Amino acid sequence: MNTQSLRTLVVDDDRPYSILIKKSLTGRGHSVVVCDSAEDAFRRLQKEHFDIVLLDYKMEGTSGINVLQWMYGKKIDIPVILITGYGSEEIHEEAYKWGASEYFVKGEMDNIRLPVMVEQVYNKHKAQRARSK
């Protein structure tokens, strides 16, 4: 069981899917904030602290890649897991180019593996930051 509670931001305009992610992560002891647009994510990321972000690739209006680019430009150093409805090598490469730590395809991630992935990505990011100081 996880001993550390992570404050997680989930950005996805698919509300039912966001709720599934929230249940999966809160069941593991994490705190989860859900927002359904990039604009809401921008506001929250400027005002609140998060340990990790789960970010949908394709949303109405501003895309997840645009959010990654904005975070990169603002030097917001939070690990990001990109969520996509359809994986491709191009999405994979673009996500990593703009700083995503990991990505997964909707429907291929279950409620058991998701919290484990979130914790692993966070711990890896934390270790990399500690080494670079």
Side-chain angles (χ1 to χ4, degrees):
M1 191 61 152
N2 177 48
T3 57
Q4 180 179 21
S5 177
L6 299 178
R7 184 154 159 78
T8 306
L9 178 64
V10 176
V11 185
D12 194 331
D13 59 358
D14 179 351
R15 189 76 177 159
Y17 194 75
S18 297
I19 299 301
L20 287 175
I21 290 174
K22 182 174 183 171
K23 285 182 180 178
S24 174
L25 295 175
T26 55
R28 185 82 170 204
H30 300 300
S31 163
V32 178
V33 173
V34 174
C35 57
D36 61 2
S37 70
E39 292 71 22
D40 191 16
F42 295 148
R43 281 190 296 277
R44 289 184 176 274
L45 286 165
Q46 288 181 71
K47 294 180 182 176
E48 302 175 47
H49 164 78
F50 294 98
D51 296 306
I52 192 162
V53 176
L54 277 72
L55 177 62
D56 189 22
Y57 173 76
K58 188 170 186 170
M59 295 182 284
E60 193 72 34
T62 305
S63 76
I65 294 298
N66 295 134
V67 175
L68 274 173
Q69 292 167 336
W70 177 85
M71 290 175 69
Y72 181 85
K74 295 278 187 186
K75 297 185 178 10
I76 297 175
D77 188 23
I78 303 170
V80 174
I81 299 174
L82 196 73
I83 306 165
T84 180
Y86 25 75
S88 74
E89 196 58 38
E90 292 79 26
I91 292 171
H92 179 90
E93 287 175 13
E94 191 173 18
Y96 287 111
K97 174 180 149 185
W98 290 107
S101 302
E102 188 62 77
Y103 96 110
F104 68 86
V105 177
K106 288 181 179 181
E108 293 181 7
M109 182 58 63
D110 62 49
N111 289 338
I112 306 292
R113 291 184 303 150
L114 177 61
V116 172
M117 174 193 269
V118 166
E119 293 158 15
Q120 288 174 338
V121 167
Y122 173 77
N123 289 329
K124 182 178 176 186
H125 182 80
K126 186 176 169 185
Q128 288 171 339
R129 268 201 328 221
R131 279 195 300 272
S132 66
K133 286 186 179 179

